[in-house]
Amino acid sequence: MSMAVRAINTCSISRSSSSSTTLRCRLYHFSQNNHYDHHNPNKNLGFRFRFPVFRSRELLISHGVYRSCSVHTLMDSVLEELEEIRARKRIRAATKVGIASGELLLDKIGKQRVLQKGLLLEFRKDSERLLLAVAQKPDGKKNWMVTDQNGVTSSVKPQQVTYIIPGVENFNYEEISRFIQKAESNLDPTLLEYAWMELLEKQNSVTAEEMAEIIYGSEEPLDSYSAHVLLSKDEIYFSVVEVKGSGSVYCPRSGEQVEELLRRKEVKEAAEKELQEFAQLLKSAKAMPSSSKPHKESWTLEEKNRQKIEALEAYAIDACKNDDQKKIAGTILKAMGLPKLSSSALKLLISIGYFPVHIDLDLLKLNVRTKYSDDIISSAEDLLSNSADPDETDRIDLTHLKVYAIDVDEADELDDALSARRLQDGRIQVWIHVADATRFVQPGSKVDREALRRATSIFLPTATIPMFPEKLAMVGMSLKQGKRCNAVTVSVILRHDGSIAEFNIENSVIKPTYMLTYESATELLHLNLEEESELKLLSEVASLRLQWRREQGAIDTCSIEPRIKVVNPDDPEPIINLYVENQADPAMRLVSEIMIMCGEAVATFGSLNNIPLPYRGQPQSNIDTSAFDHLPEGPVRSAALIKCMRAAEMEFRKPARHGILGVPGYVQFTSPIRRYMDLLAHYQIKAFLREDPLPFSAGQLEGMASLINMHIKVARRLQNSSLRYWLVEYMRRQPKQKKFRALILKFIKDRIAGLLLVEVGMQASAVVSIGKQIGDEIEVRVEEAHPRDDVFSVIEVPQMS
């Protein structure tokens, strides 16, 4: 008959001073002792006694002396009786295993068991698993074939064996699972605490078998194995002092060490609990429908969650600030059952709604500032309401001119516009009106310094990140249809061959007549309306200038470029609007030619007046353009020519020839709201017009240009990667069998060709049919399109005969 007697009582002493600490006692119960009999595994032997265990963290330890306390009389009697039983067992254990103080470690570890058939052993299967097995037969000189708890037979090296269970012979491997099950019922780690106090007091070391005698009252196989498991897993009370073969000797740690380890354990357990709670939050958020997921801000309200979500975010974009952040992210991913990969963190953050599906990772990785501080916004608003126009008395009134502002249809910052008239001698006069940003900002001001740090506006398919605060750029600086606007106007009179005969730069007031898109301007040109004769004059100027530049050695690099505008980019399936711009279209050619002419005039003005400016030059390589005449004019020829070009260079004291543009000098001047380099040119020119000292020397401009170009490179990288992502996403959504026209631009290797998809404006590569040549047009379809992995490939569609 099974029986169990449980004696339970508690006692406590509250802390009354720094020298006393609460004591709590717990009594473990008498229970039926299932000593393991290897001859008869089903036999139950005797009863087991478990000793009282005192929680060491709640017991004052002072130089190894444990202070006593008086407790309830019943408790005293129970403890006395238990202590007598314990003492008898302790004496028997000492006699049996010899744990007298001062025993040599060598004596303990010298009692090694030799492997032989039928022995039960524990071995390390791999870095994560320990298994029990039965020895079967030798395998070579040192190894043994064993059959483990899963019935798997394998060869085990001696160094893999971690423990040989004593007192077992001819064990049946089929009984291993039952043996483990019984051992698990013995594994109460609090038993080690009592043994630790006893052994610490006497400064004794102990083996697994000796520990079994102390805490279980026997060295039976089951008890010895249970003691071994407790000791090998213990991280608090005992440390290994000697290992030899499958035997280990353990030594009790000092009271101070145990106190510190217990404290660390509590901290670790608290952290693990916090981690599990956070993991549960993540799982709950994952399970919610998209419309119900927590707002991004809610994850950062509590400091403990903010730290974890920021670690995940940093891990997702490969931007962890330190090893601690990496570790936090890694533990979260592990708790979620995910591999420790940045892609895992990214998918997790998307699944909980913290990131939108189409999050721009480069925007985060490059640490691009998308917003302005309250301080900068306040300063910008002050400029709008309080700044005076320093050039008010010097502005000429050009509001009588018909003014065309031509840009993309979603342009937010309109910073240039055009006018034209034919003079009596037949020549054409052109005015390039540029928004006067310096009407509001001055060099060195707070808003100016912020613009310098940004260097350029960034145009993404999903948003525009302006160089100036939006209200200042849109309301104050930008040109607006039908409104009186401050401008810097560059007027140019052309000779009949397209070269510049006269030019002037003045402060002005204009009133833009039309705000046109490139498409609408091209349509007006095709209509050839008499009332829009000024627009026709501008187109005539563009033709003259193109012809003149070509005669000066200019190389035409017009191509087909894609532009994308995404509506509601945070939606899982946002609307993607694709625009394909042919730079050779009449309106685009008109604008680009007149802007080049403006840049030439400003460079000449700077040269004549010795004004340091950011002059752009480009050494013209020895390109024999006739060598490319066999290629079709347009994207194919342009792609071939671009490969031969050298990079542009900057000069700050005098103009340098721009060989590709075919002009003697060039300064970017027409976009001071969007490009800080243009704004620098405005600062210099405007100061000269006022006869003020120039704000910057050539050396200062050079230093600033270095910083500006660094930020421009980041902006271009971001713009290119974002455009590429949305182009691939656009193509991913196309019907699988849809065909696209493609021009062969070049051959990369053998029959692998570089292609331009004409209807999309993006480039790709594919294997093309034998006999295809550069400039040929083929049909392709999308094979793969994965925007997040930047994977895009097409295959040629065979022509039907």
Side-chain angles (χ1 to χ4, degrees):
M1 177 184 296
S2 64
M3 64 179 288
V5 180
R6 183 181 299 270
I8 301 177
N9 206 338
T10 61
C11 63
S12 65
I13 298 178
S14 300
R15 182 187 296 269
S16 59
S17 68
S18 59
S19 61
S20 62
T21 305
T22 299
L23 169 67
R24 294 196 184 103
C25 308
R26 272 198 299 134
L27 298 183
Y28 284 85
H29 60 278
F30 294 94
S31 63
Q32 188 171 337
N33 185 5
N34 298 322
H35 288 298
Y36 198 87
D37 183 352
H38 60 270
H39 295 298
N40 185 0
N42 298 313
K43 184 177 179 181
N44 297 325
L45 301 175
F47 295 93
R48 170 170 305 157
F49 173 75
R50 292 186 181 177
F51 290 92
V53 177
F54 299 90
R55 301 301 300 167
S56 65
R57 191 164 175 82
E58 297 165 353
L59 180 66
L60 185 65
I61 303 172
S62 179
H63 305 292
V65 177
Y66 298 86
R67 301 186 180 182
S68 62
C69 61
S70 69
V71 293
H72 194 274
T73 305
L74 174 61
M75 190 63 177
D76 287 341
S77 60
V78 172
L79 288 175
E80 288 173 3
E81 182 177 352
L82 295 179
E83 182 58 28
E84 288 180 8
I85 298 172
R86 184 196 63 76
R88 288 196 297 272
K89 290 181 177 289
R90 185 74 177 78
I91 293 170
R92 186 180 65 174
T95 303
K96 187 171 184 178
V97 301
I99 58 171
S101 177
E103 182 180 2
L104 294 176
L105 294 179
L106 185 60
D107 294 337
K108 294 177 182 289
I109 64 176
K111 305 171 184 177
Q112 293 297 306
R113 287 173 289 281
V114 179
L115 269 177
Q116 53 186 306
K117 182 178 180 181
L119 289 186
L120 181 62
L121 58 91
E122 179 189 75
F123 74 99
R124 186 170 296 283
K125 180 72 174 177
D126 51 44
S127 60
E128 300 291 330
R129 292 181 297 169
L130 288 169
L131 299 178
L132 286 185
V134 176
Q136 300 297 342
K137 61 180 179 180
D139 181 28
K141 292 184 178 181
K142 295 183 178 180
N143 296 357
W144 270 78
M145 298 300 295
V146 301
T147 304
D148 63 33
Q149 61 200 64
N150 301 315
V152 176
T153 300
S154 56
S155 179
V156 172
K157 298 177 182 178
Q159 56 266 37
Q160 288 179 262
V161 178
T162 52
Y163 188 64
I164 299 175
I165 289 82
V168 176
E169 297 177 0
N170 301 319
F171 198 88
N172 184 350
Y173 76 87
E174 294 178 351
E175 292 292 330
I176 293 178
S177 296
R178 191 156 171 253
F179 183 88
I180 292 173
Q181 187 178 6
K182 289 193 172 188
E184 286 175 350
S185 66
N186 274 353
L187 302 182
D188 186 347
T190 55
L191 294 173
L192 288 178
E193 193 173 1
Y194 173 80
W196 168 73
M197 289 188 291
E198 290 296 306
L199 293 168
L200 179 63
E201 185 178 356
K202 298 179 181 179
Q203 296 295 304
N204 282 346
S205 58
V206 67
T207 63
E209 293 79 43
E210 293 168 352
M211 180 60 76
E213 187 67 43
I214 294 171
I215 62 178
Y216 298 121
S218 87
E219 291 186 18
E220 293 296 327
L222 183 66
D223 294 328
S224 294
Y225 173 68
S226 300
H228 159 73
V229 173
L230 286 174
L231 285 168
S232 61
K233 292 183 177 180
D234 174 53
E235 297 178 348
I236 305 295
Y237 300 104
F238 293 89
S239 60
V240 176
V241 292
E242 188 72 24
V243 177
K244 185 174 181 181
S246 61
S248 297
V249 178
Y250 300 84
C251 180
R253 289 188 169 98
S254 69
E256 290 78 9
Q257 288 177 314
V258 169
E259 281 290 301
E260 176 60 21
L261 290 171
L262 284 171
R263 186 192 66 78
R264 292 182 186 179
K265 183 181 179 184
E266 286 182 2
V267 171
K268 182 180 178 182
E269 288 173 348
E272 288 175 351
K273 181 182 177 183
E274 194 176 279
L275 174 64
Q276 292 305 317
E277 290 173 349
F278 184 73
Q280 189 55 49
L281 283 176
L282 295 174
K283 291 173 183 176
S284 298
K286 281 184 68 176
M288 294 178 182
S290 298
S291 58
S292 304
K293 293 186 186 293
H295 292 294
K296 183 175 181 178
E297 294 75 18
S298 67
W299 292 99
T300 58
L301 294 177
E302 295 185 49
E303 173 63 23
K304 62 180 182 180
N305 290 342
R306 184 185 63 79
Q307 185 185 32
K308 294 179 178 61
I309 205 76
E310 287 181 353
L312 275 177
E313 181 177 345
Y315 200 85
I317 62 174
D318 299 317
C320 287
K321 297 176 183 177
N322 47 53
D323 289 340
D324 284 345
Q325 210 170 39
K326 272 186 184 176
K327 186 176 180 181
I328 290 170
T331 56
I332 294 170
L333 292 173
K334 184 177 181 182
M336 295 296 291
L338 299 171
K340 294 180 181 180
L341 301 171
S342 58
S343 58
S344 299
L346 173 62
K347 290 174 183 176
L348 176 58
L349 291 171
I350 291 173
S351 70
I352 66 172
Y354 184 81
F355 278 166
V357 172
H358 298 286
I359 180 71
D360 191 334
L361 291 183
D362 281 337
L363 189 61
L364 299 176
K365 289 179 179 180
L366 297 173
N367 198 26
V368 173
R369 289 178 292 181
T370 59
K371 297 180 180 179
Y372 283 88
S373 68
D374 293 340
D375 187 35
I376 296 297
I377 291 174
S378 176
S379 296
E381 290 177 349
D382 287 343
L383 292 174
L384 279 172
S385 58
N386 300 322
S387 63
D389 179 8
D391 304 301
E392 185 175 4
T393 58
D394 296 326
R395 294 190 185 278
I396 61 170
D397 190 338
L398 297 178
T399 55
H400 61 282
L401 294 176
K402 184 180 285 187
V403 177
Y404 297 91
I406 305 172
D407 212 325
V408 294
D409 56 356
E410 71 274 5
D412 297 323
E413 304 159 340
L414 292 173
D415 46 17
D416 55 69
L418 306 172
S419 300
R421 71 173 179 175
R422 189 179 296 278
L423 302 177
Q424 290 183 351
D425 60 6
R427 295 183 301 174
I428 302 173
Q429 183 176 10
V430 179
W431 290 266
I432 303 97
H433 312 288
V434 182
D436 190 356
T438 65
R439 154 72 176 80
F440 295 98
V441 293
Q442 296 300 318
S445 65
K446 187 178 294 185
V447 174
D448 170 72
R449 292 197 304 270
E450 179 66 20
L452 172 59
R453 282 191 285 269
R454 293 172 180 263
T456 180
S457 293
I458 301 175
F459 301 97
L460 305 177
T462 53
T464 296
I465 305 171
M467 186 174 77
F468 286 109
E470 185 174 338
K471 191 174 181 181
L472 178 62
M474 293 285 295
V475 177
M477 297 176 175
S478 289
L479 304 179
K480 292 170 284 294
Q481 184 174 354
K483 303 289 185 181
R484 290 175 63 88
C485 303
N486 293 329
V488 180
T489 295
V490 180
S491 63
V492 176
I493 297 175
L494 292 181
R495 297 186 179 94
H496 296 293
D497 65 353
S499 61
I500 296 175
E502 301 174 27
F503 64 88
N504 194 19
I505 302 177
E506 298 174 286
N507 294 303
S508 65
V509 177
I510 64 169
K511 186 183 288 187
T513 313
Y514 295 117
M515 297 294 187
L516 302 175
T517 65
Y518 288 113
E519 292 79 8
S520 60
T522 296
E523 186 176 348
L524 280 175
L525 287 170
H526 286 313
L527 291 173
N528 196 22
L529 300 174
E530 185 178 342
E531 59 268 29
E532 301 302 338
S533 59
E534 294 87 351
L535 187 62
K536 186 178 179 181
L537 277 178
L538 290 169
S539 180
E540 185 179 335
V541 167
S543 297
L544 284 172
R545 287 291 299 175
L546 177 60
Q547 180 61 33
W548 181 81
R549 289 196 306 109
R550 283 175 173 170
E551 290 171 359
Q552 307 307 308
I555 297 176
D556 191 0
T557 59
C558 287
S559 185
I560 295 175
E561 298 291 339
R563 182 167 53 85
I564 278 182
K565 193 71 175 176
V566 180
V567 181
N568 299 324
D570 288 347
D571 289 351
E573 291 288 326
I575 298 170
I576 303 175
N577 295 317
L578 173 66
Y579 307 89
V580 180
E581 299 174 344
N582 187 342
Q583 294 174 342
D585 282 348
M588 297 201 79
R589 177 76 79 179
L590 182 156
V591 172
S592 64
E593 284 298 332
I594 294 179
M595 295 306 137
I596 293 170
M597 182 180 71
C598 178
E600 180 189 348
V602 172
T604 306
F605 184 86
S607 177
L608 292 174
N609 295 289
N610 295 316
I611 304 173
L613 290 171
Y615 299 102
R616 300 180 70 86
Q618 191 168 34
Q620 189 164 2
S621 304
N622 295 322
I623 302 173
D624 180 6
T625 55
S626 62
F628 300 91
D629 288 346
H630 66 287
L631 298 175
E633 191 174 353
V636 176
R637 188 182 296 180
S638 294
L641 288 167
I642 288 171
K643 287 170 59 180
C644 306
M645 293 179 181
R646 293 168 62 182
E649 297 175 354
M650 298 288 292
E651 292 286 343
F652 301 94
R653 291 168 178 83
K654 60 182 180 179
R657 177 172 175 77
H658 201 299
I660 302 303
L661 296 180
V663 293
Y666 180 67
V667 173
Q668 286 186 323
F669 192 76
T670 58
S671 296
I673 306 176
R674 309 180 189 189
R675 298 188 299 237
Y676 195 85
M677 203 76 81
D678 294 43
L679 185 64
L680 282 178
H682 276 246
Y683 283 147
Q684 298 289 86
I685 296 289
K686 291 294 293 290
F688 178 84
L689 294 177
R690 293 191 206 108
E691 299 183 355
D692 289 343
L694 299 181
F696 305 109
S697 67
Q700 288 172 320
L701 287 177
E702 186 173 4
M704 296 170 74
S706 177
L707 176 64
I708 292 166
N709 286 328
M710 181 179 68
H711 290 300
I712 288 174
K713 286 180 182 178
V714 172
R716 284 177 180 164
R717 176 180 167 188
L718 177 59
Q719 289 171 167
N720 291 338
S721 67
S722 185
L723 178 62
R724 167 78 177 180
Y725 176 93
W726 287 105
L727 282 170
V728 176
E729 172 63 14
Y730 176 85
M731 298 301 283
R732 184 188 68 82
R733 299 185 187 185
Q734 302 306 303
K736 193 67 177 175
Q737 297 306 316
K738 184 175 179 179
K739 299 176 184 178
F740 297 89
R741 291 166 48 221
L743 284 173
I744 299 177
L745 299 179
K746 60 183 178 181
F747 280 95
I748 302 169
K749 182 181 180 182
D750 300 329
R751 288 164 51 208
I752 302 175
L755 308 174
L756 174 66
L757 277 61
V758 178
E759 297 105 326
V760 187
M762 72 182 300
Q763 295 190 15
S765 60
V767 176
V768 298
S769 305
I770 296 173
K772 295 296 181 184
Q773 302 293 324
I774 293 176
D776 287 352
E777 185 175 299
I778 62 173
E779 284 188 330
V780 297
R781 65 176 178 82
V782 177
E783 183 178 37
E784 282 189 285
H786 306 293
R788 185 61 68 195
D789 301 319
D790 192 22
V791 172
F792 179 70
S793 62
V794 296
I795 57 174
E796 183 182 6
V797 178
Q799 299 290 323
M800 301 296 293
S801 57

